[in-house]
Structure formats: structure tokens, C-alpha cells
Amino acid sequence: MNIIVCVKQTPDTAATLAVVDGKASWGNAPLVLNPWDEYAVEQALVTKEAEGGQVTALCLGPETAEEALKQALAMGCDEAVLIQDPAFESADSLVASRVLAAAIKKLESVDLAFFGKAAVDTDLGVTGPQVARRLGWPSLNLVAAISELDATAKTITVERLLEEGRQVVSGPLPAVVSVVKEINEPRYPSFMGIRKASKAEIPRWSAADIGLDGEIHPALTWPEILVPEKGGDEVEFIEGGDPAEIAGKLADRLIEEKVI
Amino acid sequence: MDFGLTAEHEMAQKMVRDFAQKEVAPSIREWDQKQEMAPEILPRMAELGILGICLPVRYGGQGMDFISLGLACEELEAVDSTLRVIMSVHVGLSALTLLQWGTDAQKEQFLIPLAKGEKIGCGAFTEPGMGSDVANIQTTAKKDGSDYVLNGEKMWISLASKADYALLTARTDFEPERPSDALSSFVIDLKSKGVTTGDIKGKLGVRAGSTGWISLQDVRVPSDSLVGEEGEGFKITMSGFDSGRYTVAAGATGLIRACLEASVAYANERKAFGRSIADHQLVQAKIAQMAQDYEIGKLLYFKAGWQKNAGERNTFETSMAKQFATNASFNAASEAIAVHGGYGYSDEYPVERYLRNSRGAMIYEGTNEIHSLIQAGYALGTRKDRPLRLEMPGYDANFWQSEQS
Amino acid sequence: MIIVYIDHFDGRAIPASWETLGVGESLAEAIGSDTKAVVLGTGVEAIAQEALDFGAGEALLADEPMFEDFRPEVYAEALTQIVKDNDPEIVLFPTTSRSRELAGMLAVDLDTGLSPDIVDYELDGTVIVATRPIYAGKLLIKEINQAKRPQVLTTRSRAFPTPEKGAAAAGAVTRVELELGEPVTEVHGYKESAGGVTLADAAVIVSGGRGTSNNPALEPPAEITDEKEQEIWRAQQGFKLIGELAMVLGAAVGASRAAVDAGYIPYSNQVGQTGKVVSPDLYIACGISGAIQHLAGMRTAKTIVAINKDSDAPIFKLARFGVVGDLYDIVPALTEALGEKLGKG
């Protein structure tokens, strides 16, 4: 099977975020492979191990994003491509999905494209479905398990994690599968994988390489980033004549303040 | 001079850190309290290739260099010293000794399974009656036909009850020309008839590990158990320490870092006299010292690691790195307890475990005092490195990473 | 005109959809426009009617057998047609697992931008300046879709008020006929989600401390004679009450080290220095004094509610809301009050 996994590089989730010069700043915290994408890489590798084939990791990002691709290679991906172009610098999901869909089309004969649920920086959670829509492939989103995969018959059955329970869905391949963390436990890279990855020459694709050398504009602009206001320092004591009254008031306050 | 770590080093370091933090850290306090090693530790470290990290691929290892070994030890000890002790004895004292001194047959029979983690190794030198005075080893190995028969006791042996093999030093010459010619090294299968092992409990620290004794009663071993030549035992033991001490140095550096990180986190949370204690200068002084000592520890073990990669003799540098880092980790742990106040004195926080663990490293792999004597010898010119019959090979990426030619 | 997508499951509207409708109505008022609710489903006419009750100007209903199970490509095709036919300025969705995906696909079909999970907005003429959380809410970003239309956004649950029911009630339900292709995916039903909420992931945690055993009036059964065992039994009654509150809130149950050490509850529930570090949206601490090592584990909770008999307990310094009272009285009363107000009887 020809398997793709789309990854992103994001700051470490333990980082302290601040706004510096109007931009989000994570200080000295390292940039890592987006944690949700680790699950996607793992599932791509598990699928390859079961069905045969190869896994290519794709990433839209700046130069530093090469490290995220190296992490994917170290885990066991066979190939990696960094899609990089000044035109894509302020990509919103409209641009990102267009770029990734174009890259997947360029690779030809792809059977499965894995995505993580969301990127922990932008928190959009729609890139996988949007890429699926552009490719005209089924979008299997929030997948917590792949119950069946028939590479010859080209069918797949998954369990999707919705608020109300696990929805069992089947569809044809090729398909886009966006995974949640319940699906697996990502492996550590092996030392051999680490050596191979650090030696790897990762090709760069520009906008022209994926046939997008026209005008590509994001739909969105971002005038401001702010730090959320912290709640007041003083505790608000809830008082009343009896426990029922106090509880009622507390419940009301919690609902009012949108805490519940 | 490039002080940077390569991408390979950083990825390897991250991998070991993630393993130790995710899989060992959550339950380490419980195992420390039980004074037992969690049963999944050795198999897991074997599975992940950590037990063979710096051994050549052709000998079952992972083909990484000596700096990677140091980085792995730093990350392991940052979670608990017992994890690094495994590396010190399995990799340092036993596998690397076989790499340097073993015959091809011994490498095939013993080194490959050790590097793969299929078998576990330890180093057996210390006895109930001697530690620093290596020349005074009393365990005997008497030639009998083509075998040797061993009798004696070894004490304070890490992984004694868990290991399959021991790199063991015993007396073979009972009227030597020079005292240092009396000893020989052997690789012993601990399942041999006559070998019994047991655990030692009640240690101040490294409680989540395995420290024990080995008793040898008429243990018959074939002559190909002899490592190196008869009479080379003292030299082989000493060169094994160059490997073991390096891992201790790197590990203790990781322990300094653990003390630093715990202190910074706590200092930012705890308030006294109207502010975070991180704002109080005497707390700041402690944290600054830890930060400085961490940096120094790293520079010392990186240099020793670099020398090992280059195939350069590094006894002096390794001694300095080990002595410095172990002392500094003890101080860092003590000061970390001070930063935590009363809470530091309880096992609610890890810093008391760091202190208990740190003290042992100042005694094993060469006491503090022995290291001072070693360094004085070099500094005064009374100690000179003589070439060894077999030197530890420098790291050659081609040789280390390729399969058997 | 503003279109508001109403999400539903198993014949019932997802309540967050009404909050979204409220936003639509406010926007409509501000820009001098009207709202149309869109309901796609099978046998969902009542939901379309409910949208009118909540003030939608009109409810567009596409009731087809094909819509019985939510499939994004099917719903997206239908919604895109409806949106193209109606040419709205803005399309709004509540943020649910279904509608987020649907909003994403609609945005691609219409070549426009998407602002998911907004928590606030301002208007600049007819252009929405949306505020949404990024970096797991550590920061907020303002977003504008200046030129492409419609503007597509999803609203975060509980970020906006629910409108009054029966407000306008002047509109009508309009059935929409659609030309739809064959779906490619098939839904085979639902499976139960495995297990309860884990501490590490929980958005809401209700936690108990030493105070759970502090109820001298509670008589243990006669067979339990050992004092320590009696204390544990009492604590377990306290944790039962905590468990009930957790059920109503869909929360995980946590405990302080003191409670775990005393044997009241297993170590796997421990929150704090040596237990788990948690960052829930809401942390309700019952009978927990708030010693520093426990605080270390939960201080990144967005909102802390503390219930403790001792008004000087350090936890009140960290809490947003506090009740000085007996958890044995307050917790069950809170369970009842919340059960009522959240419609979970």
C-alpha cells in the first residue's frame, strides 16, 4: 500500500506561551512533532507492517519543520517531503488543505492518508476532512480504531469517536483517516531509525512543484493575539440559608460564568 | 571547537528521556519504597536497544557513539540512579570490557547476547574484605587441567541476582613477581554450578535497583572463560572502570539537572514573606550553583566522551568527570532539599531520593578519595599511562554501524 | 442573511446549537439581516420547529432517509447546495465532532475561510472579528475573513448564552428538495465508548480529601469494629457522594494524597505531586485543605471550586468559588441542583 501521513511541527505542549511583538512566543521550549501526528505516524506504520507497502511523511512548514519529518523517519517512515514556499507562510486551513491535497495528488496511487486530529498550536481540527473533500475521498475523522482493512478489495471500516459513542463506518479506499489518541501508543524511534533519519536528505517541494504557482491567498488575517484574562484573585464565597440554597446559587454562578 | 550535539545525539537523548519519563518515572517512588527493581525495566531497556546503545551493530549493538552513551545515562539517572547503574555494569563494566579485551569467540558467545539485551551482565571485583585495594583481591581461580576452579565471595555487586554473566577478577598467580600480575579476568556464567547470588537490602539509596553478593564454591569454568591473558586482570579491571566511571559521571550530571529542575519548579510555586521563594536571593544562590554544576558536569563528560570517540586514553578526564559530578550531585540534592523545606524531607517529593541515591556514587566506581589520588598522580607526574596490549577502539561509524563484513 | 446549522443526534438537537442560533440572531440584528436555521436529518421536523421557537426567522428542513446517519460527505453536499441557493453573508455552526467537520468541508466547497470554536466576536460593519483559543487556550487569536464569502464560523459550547424560547415564533418551516449523489460510506451503528473518563483527560474533576471521612454522625455497619476501618468506611461514603456529583458532570473522580495514603481510595485516583498532574476546565475540591503538594497537581485547572468546613483552608486562596460548609451537605445538594439545571434529572 502507498500510505501518506501528514505532519506538522509545533511547540512542545509544556511550553509557556506569551505574546511578544504581536506574535505567539514559546521562549526556549523545543519545537516537536505535533503530538496528535505521532499517533497518525504510528498508525501509518502499523498499517504498513500489516499490509506491506511504504509510508511517506508530508509536512507543510518552514525550514525547522525538517526536524519533525526526521522524527517521523526515525519512527520508521520510508520517505519524507517538506513543502516549503514563501507563498505558504501565513497559511490558513484553506491554503494548508489545498497544498496538502495537491502534494498527495502529485504522489499518485496513494491508498491512505493519515492525519492527526488537530495541531496543538492552531487547534483547527479540520485539515484532514478538508483535504479529503478536495481529493473527493471519504473523510474518516476522529478514528479511534481501524477494525478492518482490505487492501485488495479496497475497503476500510473504522470506529469514530463521537460525543455519543463510537460510530462504526465503512468506506472505499483511497480515504483520509484522521486519528485520535485512543487508536494506538506511538513507538519510540529506534537508534537505527535515528541514524537513518539524521542522514536523510529530505526533498523540498515548492508551490510550483505541486502545481500551485498561481495566486494562493489565505482567506483569513490575524490582527491580534492576546493572553486570556486570568480570573480575579479573590475567591467568591457562596453563602445561603441551607445547603440547597447554597448549592443552587453555586450552580447558577457556575453556569453563568460558563464554567459548566 | 564545535560544542553542539548532532541531530542523532539529540534524537537519541530524547528517545531515552521519553522512555524514562513515561514508563519509569510514574511508579519509581513505589519501587524505591519496596526496595525492588520493577520487573519490566531490564526487558524494556533491552527491547529499546538501550542496553546495547554504543556497541557495534555487528556485535548485536545499536551502533551509536560514546557521547550517546553519556546522554542516555544522563537521561536515565535524571529519573532514577538505578536505571543508570544498569548501564554502568551491563554496558560499562561487562560489555565494553569484552569489546576491548575479548577474543572473537568470546564476542560471539557473550558480547552479542549482552548487546542485544538477551543476557544481562555485571562486574564482579569488590569483595567483603576489599574495595579500593584491587590488587588485594582474594577470590581465587586455580588452574585444573584445562579449566579454572573459582572460590571466593564478591560483594556490593549491582545486578548480582539479575545478571546472566559477570566480568569477574580473581587471583591466578599465588607467587607473583609483582603484585599487579597476580590477577586475571574471567567472564563467568552465573548459572554455573557452585555460584549462588543474593540481594542486599537496607541500602541508603539506589533502592529500586538490585545490589547483591556472589558466592563461588568450587566453580569450574572452561579456560576460554579467561579474558585477556593470565596476569592481565588488574589492567583489564582498571580499563573497565574507565567505561563504568564515564557512565557514572554522565548519570550524576543528569541527577544535578533533576535537582535543578525540581528546585526551580518548587521555588516558583512556594511563597514566603509575600513572594515566591524564587525571588529570595539565598534560594537563587542555590539554584545558580546547581545550574553551574550541571554545565560543568556536562562539559567534563562530553570531553571524556569525545576522547573515547577519538580513541584517546581518558583515565584522567573520566576520573575528574566522575568525581566532580558525583560530589556536585550530592550537594545539589542537599540544597534541593533545602529549597523544598520540610517537604524536601519527605518522600512526597523526589529530592530526598536524589540525595540518598547520590551518596552511593561517591563510593562506587572508585571512591572520592581514590579519584583524588588518581588525579594527583597525573598532576604530579608520578602516574603515567602506559600503552595497553589492547586499547579501547575509538568510535568508527563505519565499523560500528555496518553488519558483519 | 445568516444561516445557522442545527446539529442533532438521536432525534434531539444538541443544545449548543441554540447558543449558536442566539449568536446568529444577535448578528442578524446588528447588521440588519435575518436568520435561517438549517436542519438535515431523518424525522427531524420537530427540531426545525424548535429552531423557530428559539427565534430563527425561518427553518430550512431537508428530511431524507439518506440523512439518517450523519455522514460528512452526504451532509456537506446537501448543505453546500442549500448555502449556494440562499447566498448568506454568514454561516454558523455549533462546535461538535460532526459540525466542525461539516463546517470545514463547506468552507472548502465555497472556497472560503473557517474560524472554528470561537469564544467571542466583534463586528466591523458586516465583517466579524472572531476571537478563538489557540495553544489549548493558553492564547487567544483574533481572526478576520475580510473578502471571501460567506464567513463560516463554529461557536464554542457554553461560550454564548442560550436565547429565550418562544421569542419570535413568526417564521415557518420550509422543506427543501435536493439533488444528491450516492453516498460512498456506510454507517453500521454505534458501540459503547469504553470506560469512564480518565483523570488525565477529564475536563471536569471532582476530588476528595481527608474531609471525606469527617462525618461523626455517620454510623458504620455493626460488623466494622476497627476504628481505622470505620474511618475508611466513612470516607467511602463521602466518595460515593463525590462519585454521584461526578456522574452528573461527566467528570472524573480524583483524590488528594492524604486520602490515598489513608486508604480511602486507590492510588490511581491521586492528583498531586506524586499522583497525576491535571489541567481540567473545572476542579471541584471537596474536603481538601490545599497543601502545596496537592496544589502542584491541579493549579493549572481553569476554575477551582472549593468546599471545606475550614474557612482558613489554603485551598480558598486558589479557588474561584468557595463554600464554607460540610461536603456531606453541599455535595449532594449540588448534585441535585446541577442535575436539574443541566437537564440530567
Side-chain angles (χ1 to χ4, degrees), chain A residues 139 159 163 168 170 257 260, chain C residues 97 101 158 188 191 320:
Chain A
S139 165
E159 291 175 21
E163 290 88 341
V168 181
S170 62
E257 292 294 316
I260 298 188
Chain C
S97 54
E101 186 175 11
R158 299 189 309 271
H188 304 283
K191 285 169 74 166
R320 176 130 177 245

Side-chain angles (χ1 to χ4, degrees), chain B residues 259-298:
Chain B
C259 294
L260 172 62
E261 288 172 354
S263 301
V264 168
Y266 190 82
N268 280 323
E269 266 191 21
R270 177 82 177 189
K271 289 187 169 36
F273 302 105
R275 15 217 260 269
S276 280
I277 63 172
D279 289 342
H280 293 303
Q281 288 178 334
L282 293 177
V283 172
Q284 291 179 349
K286 296 176 198 301
I287 286 174
Q289 189 64 55
M290 290 180 213
Q292 184 183 95
D293 287 346
Y294 175 49
E295 194 61 30
I296 298 170
K298 275 195 291 186

Side-chain angles (χ1 to χ4, degrees), chain B residues 150-185:
Chain B
L150 277 72
N151 276 286
E153 292 242 355
K154 296 294 185 184
M155 180 84 168
W156 305 113
I157 307 303
S158 299
L159 301 185
S161 64
K162 310 265 186 225
D164 300 289
Y165 303 138
L167 232 302
L168 185 146
T169 311
R171 183 171 295 276
T172 41
D173 190 338
F174 302 93
E175 273 157 30
E177 267 182 48
R178 289 173 303 183
S180 56
D181 295 338
L183 308 176
S184 303
S185 295

Side-chain angles (χ1 to χ4, degrees), chain A residues 215-234:
Chain A
E215 294 278 294
I216 306 146
H217 295 301
L220 303 177
T221 51
W222 299 276
E224 198 184 344
I225 299 183
L226 6 123
V227 181
E229 267 174 40
K230 283 211 172 93
D233 281 317
E234 283 296 308

Side-chain angles (χ1 to χ4, degrees), chain A residues 32 38 67 70-71 74 185 188-195 197-199, chain B residues 8 11-12 14-15 18-19 23 44 48-50 53 57 62-64 401:
Chain A
V32 298
E38 281 184 54
E67 279 159 39
K70 294 217 160 171
Q71 190 72 10
E185 195 53 55
Y188 301 111
S190 66
F191 291 111
M192 182 156 88
I194 286 171
R195 279 204 305 279
S198 73
K199 293 191 180 89
Chain B
E8 256 178 59
M11 281 196 268
K14 176 175 167 20
M15 184 271 227
D18 286 345
F19 155 69
E23 296 188 32
R44 201 60 186 121
L48 293 174
I50 300 174
I53 186 173
V57 170
Q62 298 296 316
M64 305 294 281
Q401 291 172 21

